[in-house]
Amino acid sequence: MTTPFMLSADEPTFWQTLWDYIVNTFFSDNTATYDNLGFGAGTAISLRGIVFGFAIGMVIAAFAVTADKRILGKFVRHLLRENVVGRENAKTLYDLGFLTSHTVRHSVRRSVNVRRVVKCVEEEDFEAEQARKREEHEKKREADPSLPAFASVTYRIDVESDHFYIPEESKYTAEAKFDKRGTTWLACFMMIIVLLVLCSVLLVAIPYLLSLMNELAGAFSSMGSDRIL
């Protein structure tokens, strides 16, 4: 027995229905040709695919930028407010009040944008020690070429105890990059709605635009032939 909020195993979900509608409406087999433009069958589908892919990319980018500014930016702005600038002022996530934030814990390990401006003291010390050991090893290899190449080890950040800070030279970059002014979730959703509307209009209009261009090209071609005759 199913309720209005449940679907049986044989019934498609809302997202499956929506996807089938998009595919059948915009990406079904197109046999139209545009001989005067030199386009073959399926050209409209190809152009629609480009527009659709571009729109999806823009939607993802809008979410990513807003998340950086609003979620990760909150962490970076907190470092700036607390003057956690320079190695001597480095603090742990616990000290900063972000130890329980899974997003921040992940960002100090993986986020390229955050790690460009937020550094880890222990990681820097480890890499400096690695560089020293590599240099010593290379000198030994010069004397004994049979020695294997130096095996580098990647430091694994410990979010429980490692210390983080913003370098003095990255302070203004951090302020500009993670400034939240003008970036809100409402603005993000409004932008996405506008993008989806424009995408829908283009998906519908592409076949008509191609047909119009094909007819115009044919008309110009006929005018040129008549002049030659």
Side-chain angles (χ1 to χ4, degrees):
M1 179 179 179
T2 60
T3 69
F5 301 99
M6 298 174 60
L7 293 173
S8 68
D10 297 329
E11 293 178 339
T13 64
F14 167 77
W15 296 110
Q16 289 174 325
T17 303
L18 178 61
W19 179 252
D20 289 341
Y21 172 79
I22 292 174
V23 171
N24 293 330
T25 304
F26 301 116
F27 302 102
S28 59
D29 184 31
N30 182 11
T31 57
T33 58
Y34 310 95
D35 296 332
N36 297 319
L37 296 174
F39 296 158
T43 299
I45 291 178
S46 298
L47 290 176
R48 281 170 162 176
I50 294 172
V51 171
F52 188 74
F54 178 77
I56 293 298
M58 291 297 292
V59 168
I60 294 174
F63 270 116
V65 170
T66 305
D68 270 357
K69 296 278 190 177
R70 305 297 301 187
I71 301 175
L72 301 183
K74 181 180 179 181
F75 170 62
V76 175
R77 290 191 297 272
H78 183 78
L79 293 178
L80 293 170
R81 283 196 304 271
E82 296 297 317
N83 196 34
V84 186
V85 179
R87 285 173 60 95
E88 66 279 5
N89 296 316
K91 294 182 179 181
T92 64
L93 293 185
Y94 176 81
D95 296 331
L96 295 165
F98 285 89
L99 183 59
T100 58
S101 172
H102 295 290
T103 303
V104 172
R105 288 163 66 99
H106 179 270
S107 71
V108 295
R109 285 174 171 168
R110 305 292 183 186
S111 174
V112 175
N113 287 334
V114 170
R115 286 177 59 81
R116 282 175 180 168
V117 295
V118 178
K119 304 301 180 181
C120 172
V121 172
E122 287 77 9
E123 182 182 34
E124 290 181 330
D125 291 343
F126 178 84
E127 290 178 348
E129 180 64 15
Q130 282 281 99
R132 185 188 64 78
K133 290 180 178 180
R134 182 184 296 107
E135 184 178 355
E136 290 180 354
H137 186 77
E138 291 303 322
K139 290 180 179 179
K140 292 179 180 178
R141 287 190 72 194
E142 290 178 2
D144 185 2
S146 65
L147 289 175
F150 181 77
S152 297
V153 179
T154 301
Y155 183 76
R156 182 175 178 81
I157 290 177
D158 184 348
V159 295
E160 303 283 343
S161 60
D162 283 356
H163 296 73
F164 304 92
Y165 74 99
I166 296 176
E168 185 69 43
E169 63 272 16
S170 300
K171 179 179 178 180
Y172 295 108
T173 300
E175 290 175 345
K177 189 174 184 62
F178 292 95
D179 184 2
K180 69 175 181 178
R181 287 177 296 182
T183 306
T184 65
W185 286 112
L186 177 60
C188 175
F189 285 119
M190 292 298 294
M191 178 181 177
I192 289 173
I193 290 173
V194 171
L195 281 170
L196 293 178
V197 170
L198 290 176
C199 177
S200 300
V201 170
L202 283 174
L203 290 176
V204 171
I206 282 174
Y208 300 102
L209 292 174
L210 288 176
S211 296
L212 177 61
M213 293 171 62
N214 187 63
E215 291 177 4
L216 289 174
F220 283 119
S221 177
S222 298
M223 290 173 58
S225 299
D226 293 339
R227 289 180 180 179
I228 293 175
L229 294 175

